């Protein structure tokens, strides 16, 4: 499982993810310098470390490199959440606590994600047969599952 990025690694990766294209040390440096005083060699070292850790790939361009993210920020966040969840001695309780911390917007994003993972509903699922209620939670009012 991935270790969380350090503060400077995160600042660099934020730019690489945001720009979504191969970047140079100079580009990252110039953007970071708008927020802090930082040396070219520091940014170069961070990008080299990120390359060695497998977060970015690089391609030579003259005497320099262009760096590109290996995966997305969403994949990074998902791996961190999965790692934290897997360390719980009670995963269900951990999820309940996590859901309790979520904003309404985050809960809606979660509902959307679950619908995407479940895929399109079958006609049988849309019109369940009459009989005893199943144990699945009811959809929120106004949510027709699409």
């Amino acid at each position: 499982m991935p270790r969380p990025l350090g503060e400077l690694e995160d600042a660099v990766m934020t730019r690489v993810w945001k720009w979504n294209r191969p970047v140079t040390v100079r580009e990252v440096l110039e953007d970071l310098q708008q927020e802090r005083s930082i040396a070219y060699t520091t940014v170069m070292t961070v990008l080299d470390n990120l390359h060695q850790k497998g977060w970015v790939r690089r391609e030579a361009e003259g005497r320099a490199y262009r760096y590109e993210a290996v995966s997305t920020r969403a994949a990074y966040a998902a791996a961190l959440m999965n790692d934290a969840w897997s360390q719980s001695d009670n995963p269900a309780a951990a999820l309940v606590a996590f859901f309790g911390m979520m904003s309404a917007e985050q809960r809606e994003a979660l509902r959307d994600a679950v619908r995407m993972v479940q895929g399109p509903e079958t006609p049988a699922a849309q019109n369940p047969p009459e009989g005893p209620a199943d144990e699945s939670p009811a959809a929120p009012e106004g949510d027709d599952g699409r």
Side-chain angles (χ1 to χ4, degrees):
M1 284 299 146
R3 282 187 26 227
L5 295 171
E7 186 263 331
L8 189 51
E9 289 173 326
D10 185 68
V12 170
M13 283 305 300
T14 293
R15 283 147 179 88
V16 174
W17 282 319
K18 181 175 82 175
W19 296 336
N20 196 29
R21 62 173 171 75
V23 301
T24 64
V25 171
R26 175 83 43 211
E27 290 174 307
V28 175
L29 170 72
E30 289 173 357
D31 200 60
L32 282 170
Q33 285 179 330
Q34 294 176 25
E35 299 172 1
R36 64 178 85 195
S37 176
I38 190 166
Y40 181 94
T41 53
T42 301
V43 177
M44 184 174 63
T45 299
V46 170
L47 279 163
D48 185 59
N49 290 343
L50 289 166
H51 174 257
Q52 291 184 26
K53 291 178 179 181
W55 288 107
V56 295
R57 63 179 146 260
R58 66 184 182 194
E59 190 171 315
E61 184 177 276
R63 293 177 33 201
Y65 288 107
R66 283 202 172 268
Y67 296 86
E68 185 174 17
V70 170
S71 65
T72 64
R73 173 163 239 156
Y76 166 68
L80 290 177
M81 288 187 291
N82 186 59
D83 186 44
W85 183 47
S86 69
Q87 292 179 34
S88 173
D89 60 347
N90 187 339
L95 281 176
V96 169
F98 180 62
F99 296 156
M101 295 177 195
M102 296 174 114
S103 67
E105 293 81 20
Q106 290 169 322
R107 286 191 300 276
E108 185 58 35
L110 176 63
R111 283 187 207 90
D112 292 344
V114 168
R115 282 191 289 268
M116 283 190 274
V117 170
Q118 289 176 338
E121 292 186 25
T122 62
Q126 291 174 354
N127 299 311
E130 295 291 324
D134 64 23
E135 296 184 20
S136 63
E141 191 168 312
D143 184 352
D144 63 3
R146 282 183 264 163

